[in-house]
Amino acid sequence: MNKTSSLARAGQYLALLGYLVFLVFPFLWLISTAFKPARELGSLHPTWIPQNPTLDNFRQAFDEQPLLQAAANSLIAACCAAVISISIATPMAYVMARHRSRLSTAATGWVVISQAFPFVLVIIPLFLVLKNLRLINTLSGLVLVYVVWSLPFALWMLAGYVRAVPIELEEAAAVDGAGRLRTLVSVTGPLLAPGIAATALFAFITAWNEFFFALVLLKTPEKQTLPVVLTHFLGAEGVADLGPLAAAAFLATLPSLVIFALIQRRITGGMLAGAVKS
Amino acid sequence: MRTRPVLMGLRPVALLAICALLLTGCAAGQERTPGQIRLRFQSLAWQKESVDANEQLVQEWNARHPDIQVDYVQGSWDSVHDQLLTSFEGGEAPDIIHDASDDLADFAYGGYLADLRELLPQRLRSDIPERSWETVTFGRGVYGVPFLQEPRVLIAHQKVLSAAGVRMPTVERPWSWNEFRQVSKQITASMGKGKYAVAWPLKEPVSVTLNLGLSAGGRLFHRRGEDSNKVEVDFTAADGVVPRTIHDQVNEDRTASRTALGMGGSDALPGLFGGKYAMVPLGFSYRQQIVQQAPPGFSWTVLPMPVGVAGAVQGVSPQTLSIAQDSPHKREAMQFIDHLLQPANMVRLARGDWMLPTGLSALADPSLRVRRYGWAVGAELARGLRSAPAQSVRGYPEWKDKVATPAYQEYYSGAIDLDELRERLVEDGNLVLARYQR
């Protein structure tokens, strides 16, 4: 390896390190804040490590807001949205990727355009539709919205994964006598699994973090999701009950992290592994 | 097969999720006794004491009125406008709505809020001064009951001010804007390098500037006729007093911190506690944060804001309670509001929010007249609270975001001069307002 390429490699690692620091900094600060007593939050010289760590913020957060119920609501909505989105998007993505026609090109274009719609543009018609369906203030209504909202991107994402599966594998299975369904279930399906998991994770996190639809569609406290309940720690003009807010926000990030940690290795390691015989 | 466990792992989650979805889908709706009225009250109370006070008052009402039950729903200041707008459009708005008076104009003119004139009990009408009713009067109608308000005050580091030997202002003898500049120079000189007499946390500079500007006789918004809803911006010498003071403190006197200009109120508190700033102009309710966060032994005091030729007056946008036009139980909703705003209850709400009640009976309560935490200073200032200048101006939010906020920010940081500020506020501003007032 020559000197120039070593320098370039070092620069890449440095850039990667900088990016990681950039990503991790807010999260570490959130954790630090969650464990600081109120007086340390008002310090002119804040420290990374709380000098007198306390669980008071967590106690206060649970005391003031129904966090567990909100987390359960978020979990139900996010899991349902992920499962339903994947169930619908997988066969559609396969068709879009394998049977290219004007229709599938138009559908892809529509998928991309639909991602540009701002929430405020659709919220009132959507609200009226859901009201007529008696789905206002229900998690079912919210899940329906999340599915509709995440489906285009899930479709687009999964179609990419389908295209990455060599069609020769399906042709080889056909030559070996496998029918269409058998090929899909035994050959293409397993190879798509990491993509399906990644897309499900995307749909889950999108729904888990979503705020505006939940705010507008859920009316009663017992139905509200975690992002909505988190705003109850905020006052007028941006004043915040910082300690409990940080504690609650820290807890809100945990499910996404846990789920990602559980399936991350499979997503990154499983793609096409062992698919092609040499 | 290597990927199989992923799908296997998802299967129970999927089943669980689908079952939960089916269950939750069936769980909508509330139990209702025949003949019983249910009202939904959306409150924006967020501090623990305030939420507790609201919930207790609702419970007390529900215990006494089995036929009119109130459901307490907590909303959020951060998103209330969009949430209400959608709810109004969808016919699903809460019956009783907590908001701020400066957010009501569009809802009132849009026909979403009930005109309360026929519903208001005389007790409430006469207990709240006319100047507060003006904040909720749009056209000829009254669209909310103003119940909590807060003046802006100077939260000051007592020891630093004492050490500088300056005259301490009182409500009866506040500093003038000129005196404030002089005093700030004296304090800054006594504090040492890198420290400032004042921090102006002006992340949102417009309402602060306009509301304080009333004390110098500033109005900025001028109606074309007595009953006209048409408003034009005009920037007179009086409108320039407060902005020029802030600008000069930052850019000429160096008595106000430049970095504080981009801060929110909470961001400036560590600097106050750490002795970097001697005074911070803040809303009255910030005292709660100071009580919670100030280091032991920190001596602080509440001072009135400086005044100009118009005296100790300030603009405010009180917190309000309104009734949705679509509510089928407006009279019952008003009965509940009347209960919530009985003088003793108004005091409970005010103390919970660390704010001042609008009602004169509540304001006279001895617990709001104590010297501790500056309650007495705030209560005295209540006499000078007026409707914020922008209160009922249609198009104000756009004018504020697109024209005034960047213009004031640039002026305060020294990027533009007063003439440029005037030109942008007036010329660009009137173009924006004209679109709303055709």
Side-chain angles (χ1 to χ4, degrees), chain B residues 406-425:
Chain B
Y408 278 119
Q409 281 172 339
E410 286 177 47
Y411 176 62
Y412 289 145
S413 67
I416 59 172
D417 61 14
L418 194 64
D419 288 336
E420 170 90 24
L421 173 71
R422 179 186 295 114
E423 191 178 312
R424 283 169 60 174
L425 291 179

Side-chain angles (χ1 to χ4, degrees), chain B residues 37-55:
Chain B
I37 291 170
R38 284 203 95 92
L39 300 172
R40 200 145 46 91
F41 165 39
Q42 178 170 294
S43 164
L44 300 180
W46 67 283
Q47 299 179 89
K48 182 164 169 37
E49 300 104 310
S50 176
V51 174
D52 287 349
N54 274 278
E55 286 182 339

Side-chain angles (χ1 to χ4, degrees), chain A residues 161-218:
Chain A
Y161 279 103
V162 173
R163 281 190 206 104
V165 176
I167 198 160
E168 291 79 8
L169 289 174
E170 293 177 14
E171 289 167 355
V175 169
D176 289 345
R180 178 65 111 187
L181 189 63
R182 177 76 191 271
T183 305
L184 285 176
V185 172
S186 303
V187 178
T188 316
L191 292 173
L192 269 183
I196 291 174
T199 312
L201 188 67
F202 155 78
F204 176 87
I205 291 176
T206 305
W208 178 264
N209 291 333
E210 199 284 326
F211 167 70
F212 190 59
F213 287 132
L215 171 81
V216 168
L217 298 176
L218 301 174

Side-chain angles (χ1 to χ4, degrees), chain A residues 38-45 60 63-65 73 76 79-80 83-84 120 123-124 127-128 131 134-141 143 186-187 189-194 196-197 200 211-212 215-216 218-224 228 231-242 263 266-267 269-271 273-274, chain B residues 1-7 10 13-18 20-22 24-30 40 44-48 51 72-80 82-83 85-87 89-94 150 152 204 207-208 264-266 269-276 286 289-296:
Chain A
R39 299 212 187 283
E40 279 188 50
L41 294 174
S43 168
L44 186 57
H45 305 290
Q60 203 181 328
D63 189 32
E64 289 178 17
Q65 297 297 335
N73 291 339
I76 290 168
C79 285
C80 291
V83 169
I84 298 171
V120 286
I123 189 68
I124 290 173
F127 191 95
L128 293 171
K131 189 185 168 196
R134 294 174 175 270
L135 287 174
I136 295 290
N137 201 31
T138 65
L139 288 182
S140 321
V143 168
S186 303
V187 178
L191 292 173
L192 269 183
I196 291 174
F211 167 70
F212 190 59
L215 171 81
V216 168
L218 301 174
K219 299 290 171 194
T220 52
E222 59 272 19
K223 294 282 168 57
Q224 287 176 337
V228 176
T231 64
H232 296 166
F233 294 104
L234 295 172
E237 293 183 25
V239 187
D241 207 353
L242 206 54
I263 65 173
R266 294 196 172 98
I267 292 172
M271 188 65 188
Chain B
M1 208 172 277
R2 289 184 64 181
T3 50
R4 195 166 174 76
V6 178
L7 293 174
L10 286 175
V13 177
L15 286 173
L16 186 73
I18 289 166
L21 179 63
L22 292 172
T24 52
C26 301
Q30 289 172 316
R40 200 145 46 91
L44 300 180
W46 67 283
Q47 299 179 89
K48 182 164 169 37
V51 174
Y72 179 85
V73 183
Q74 192 176 352
S76 158
W77 283 106
D78 210 29
S79 47
V80 65
D82 291 338
Q83 190 231 349
L85 186 63
T86 317
S87 302
E89 287 285 346
E92 288 278 337
E150 61 173 333
R152 202 158 284 268
E204 293 185 22
S207 61
V208 179
S266 304
L269 291 181
L272 179 72
F273 301 150
K276 190 175 177 186
Y286 272 88
Q289 290 209 353
I290 294 166
V291 170
Q292 278 182 348
Q293 295 179 10

Side-chain angles (χ1 to χ4, degrees), chain A residues 15-28:
Chain A
L16 184 64
L17 187 70
Y19 185 58
L20 283 177
V21 170
F22 175 74
L23 287 181
V24 169
F25 174 82
F27 186 62
L28 292 181

Side-chain angles (χ1 to χ4, degrees), chain B residues 57-79:
Chain B
L57 289 169
V58 170
Q59 280 170 15
E60 288 168 17
W61 167 272
N62 285 342
R64 281 185 220 153
H65 299 83
D67 52 334
I68 309 171
Q69 292 290 285
V70 173
D71 296 324
Y72 179 85
V73 183
Q74 192 176 352
S76 158
W77 283 106
D78 210 29
S79 47

Side-chain angles (χ1 to χ4, degrees), chain A residues 243-267:
Chain A
L245 174 64
F250 169 57
L251 293 174
T253 57
L254 289 181
S256 301
L257 288 180
V258 168
I259 291 176
F260 188 76
L262 286 177
I263 65 173
Q264 174 264 353
R265 196 165 51 87
R266 294 196 172 98
I267 292 172

